[in-house]
Amino acid sequence: MSHPLDKPVSTTRAVRQYDLYEVWGDTIDARHLILAIVVGAVVSLGAYTIGLWVLSHLVESAQMAKAYAMLFGILGCLGGGAISALLFKPKRNVVEHVADPAFRQQVVNDLLKEYGSLGRLEDTSPEVAAELHELELYELFREAQAKEERDNGVRAETDSSASPNLALNGGRP
Amino acid sequence: MMEGLVYDILIALSLGVFGAVLFAAIGLVSGTDETTTLAPLTMLVVLLGAPPAGILTFFLAGAVAKHMTHAVPTALLGIPGDTSATALIGDANHLRKLGVPHVALRKMISGGAVAALIAVPLAVLFAVLLAPFGDIIKQFAPWVFLCAAITIAYFSAGRWAAVLALIPFVLIIVALQTLTAQYGVKLAVSYFLGIAVAPLITSLFSLLAPQERERMRRSEFRTFSLAPDMKGWSGYFPNPFKVINRRQTRMTAMAASVTSATFVFSPVAMTVIMGELIGARIKQAYDRLTTVITARNGVTESTYIAEALIPLIAFGLPLSPVAAGPAAPLFNAPPRFSVDSATGEVNNLHNFLNNWEFLGYGMLAVIVAVLIAYPFTMNFAHQAASFVSRKISHEAVIATFIGLVLVVGIWEGGLLGLLVIVTVGLLGGFLGRFLGFNIGVQFMGYYTAVLSVPAIVALSS
């Protein structure tokens, strides 16, 4: 609402010329999909039929000829897929970036919600602590842990007015 | 004698290498479900006359390699690599947003390697323990399948809705079989493929319906953020036990052992449950997150191995969601392998390999897959994810699967085969979407129709 002139972020000319739909978990262009299906069908069935015809002359057992023809057919599927991949480019934006610090904070918050508590770094084995140091995540979890303990302390203070002495330092190291 | 063994091992080794390389590549492409890829290709290997040991190594090496490389899109792009990776996406996204997707990836594949190595001997052991009950189970096979179908349906997201939905679903499969029989066509793979590609078939139908189409319309490309490349070790083959710590190894081993025994449940469900159980015991958030993701990917490996091997070794009957789906050609690949519905008589890998061979070739397959997929993923994950997301369009993936549906359908039953795939796919897809009647239940529904219904009919007449 605060953006009255809201526009799609990346409506480049390239995107606008497509008729996009989400099918089976990813975006496709309707016209490209139809053409790809036709290519896939023609190449795979073509390979199978040719395989069956050629092999029925070469191989004596009709059963084996049919089994080998299926091999041709499956290679045809891959061929059809490869041709479609060459003809139709993916409709994806692939961005390569290093994780944002704000993202990291959000993950920590998500984990706190999901698990109920972040636990204590002091409880981990030296190997895990070393791994966290190496990945430069130790400080992130240490701060989050301290914050969680402070918050719990505050909550304990407001919750248990009956025993103020206990609540005052409750949860704090 | 000796030469024969060396020959068998060489064939098994080369088919194992082939399976591992092929499925390591397929695993990189997200949306490639295990059943749609493993089942038809294993079927092909069976029908082309590969020796039993080679069939086993091809399937197992393929499954193990795929469940390692499926970590690449899951960890780096935030899209599940396949069905079993959906259970890992939450943990993987947390680690990705923390800026350490490489940690998620390495922990996942190291956990997978550890679990796969543990699962084979344990699965063989459990199978040997269960084998004495084999004769009884074979005798009551139709009823065992009925009970298994109801149990698996009840434990799916749909609960009682899924149990009740079994009735119309089974009825339709029986009806379709009666129909095709009139034309002298007997189908099996078509049903599996229909069930496995159901979400794609329903999506394409929805796209044709104006109202649904509007709901699916997008104004922009979908954005994926690809995690940057970070390499934290030297050499080509990092030691998995250095990537995951001792507790993570212990937890993964434990989860793999437990899930090697619970072979009748769906792999995705077991992956979720084991993650929750382990997570509840670890207090520190980062420690919990990394340990859970390690163990969970381990479970995707161990459930697949155990669910395929235990029923195969102990009974020769496809009595688990994996055995009934992706591993189905190991049990039933007419005319070479078969399961007789009336007598419970089986003629498949169960008869062709003994326990020691299952153990030996199983370990061979896992070791080959680990040696190929583990270092590949460790070293080239970023390049692979970048290539797949920038070069392989979703249209191309869909075209490949449509091709597969056409070829397999026409190959097995001509136009009738194709119609069965579409019918079963559309029905199964909507039942799955609206009732939580998932793919594992649908596979068991197929076996109920084939094995239990004739017994019920015989009993009531």
Side-chain angles (χ1 to χ4, degrees), chain B residues 21 25 36 55 92 129 136 183 211 221 231 268 318 332 383 417 448:
Chain B
V21 171
T36 38
I55 297 168
L129 293 178
I136 302 173
Y183 297 92
Q211 216 176 355
F221 286 0
K231 181 167 173 167
V268 180
N332 206 357
Q383 285 102 308
T448 308

Side-chain angles (χ1 to χ4, degrees), chain B residues 371-394:
Chain B
L371 286 178
I372 289 172
Y374 180 79
F376 168 77
T377 315
M378 279 288 189
N379 291 289
F380 302 110
H382 183 83
Q383 285 102 308
S386 174
F387 176 81
V388 170
S389 60
R390 291 200 171 101
K391 297 280 178 226
I392 299 182
S393 57
H394 200 48

Side-chain angles (χ1 to χ4, degrees), chain A residues 19-23 25 29 36 66 77 81 88 90-93 95-97 104 107 114 118 131 135, chain B residues 94 97-98 107 213 216-218 222 224-226 228 285-286 382 389-390 392-395 399-400 411:
Chain A
D19 192 11
L20 296 175
Y21 296 95
E22 184 165 334
V23 175
D29 170 63
K66 216 177 159 192
C77 297
F88 313 114
K91 280 84 195 161
R92 308 183 184 104
N93 285 324
V95 248
E96 207 168 325
H97 65 87
R104 293 189 169 187
V107 175
E114 200 178 317
L118 290 174
E131 197 173 296
L135 298 168
Chain B
H94 284 318
K97 286 185 192 156
L98 275 176
K107 300 255 179 198
R213 181 167 60 230
M216 295 160 90
R217 189 187 286 282
R218 296 290 177 271
R222 206 171 148 184
F224 293 98
S225 56
L226 175 62
Y286 175 84
H382 183 83
S389 60
R390 291 200 171 101
I392 299 182
S393 57
H394 200 48
E395 286 92 335
T400 312
W411 168 80

